[in-house]
Amino acid sequence: ALVLAAPILCTAVFGDEFAEATGMLRVLAIGAVGLTALELLSSALVAQRRPLRASVGIAIAAAVGIALDFVLIPDHGGMGAAVAAVIGASVGGAVTALLLPGTMKKAWVAPVHA
C-alpha cells in the first residue's frame, strides 16, 4: 500500500517540493522486508542468550550500508542512499538468518487435548 500511495504521501504530507522523493520512498518501503527480518531474527538471537550473534548481522548491515553510501550517493544522491540502506538491511537480515538455525533451542509446548 505504501508503494502505491508514495506519490500522494510525499506531496500531500510534505509538499510539492518532495515529489522527487517518491521513488526513494518506494525503495525504502520494499526494503522494510530486509529490515524486519534483521530486527526480528536479532531479537530471537538475544532471546536465546546469544547477543553477540545478533550483533553480527547488525554490524554487517551497517558496514554494507555505509560502504554503499560512499559508492552510490555521489552519482545517485538520495536514491543511492535509499538503495544502500535497503541492500545493507537485507544483507544483515540474511546473515542473521544464517546464524539462527544452529542457535535455536527446542521449545517444548504441552499438547492441547480437545
Side-chain angles (χ1 to χ4, degrees), residues 9-103:
L9 291 173
C10 285
T11 56
V13 174
F14 298 108
D16 290 334
E17 54 274 359
F18 283 88
E20 292 180 20
T22 300
M24 292 173 253
L25 179 58
R26 286 180 169 156
V27 169
L28 290 170
I30 293 168
V33 174
L35 183 59
T36 301
L38 176 62
E39 292 295 323
L40 289 175
L41 298 176
S42 293
S43 295
L45 286 169
V46 170
Q48 292 293 319
R49 296 189 173 119
R50 299 286 191 255
L52 290 177
R53 285 189 182 199
S55 299
V56 169
I58 294 167
I60 289 174
V64 169
I66 291 169
L68 287 174
D69 280 341
F70 283 108
V71 172
L72 296 175
I73 290 176
D75 291 333
H76 304 287
M79 182 58 83
V83 169
V86 168
I87 292 172
S90 297
V91 169
V95 168
T96 305
L98 292 173
L99 294 172
L100 194 66
T103 305

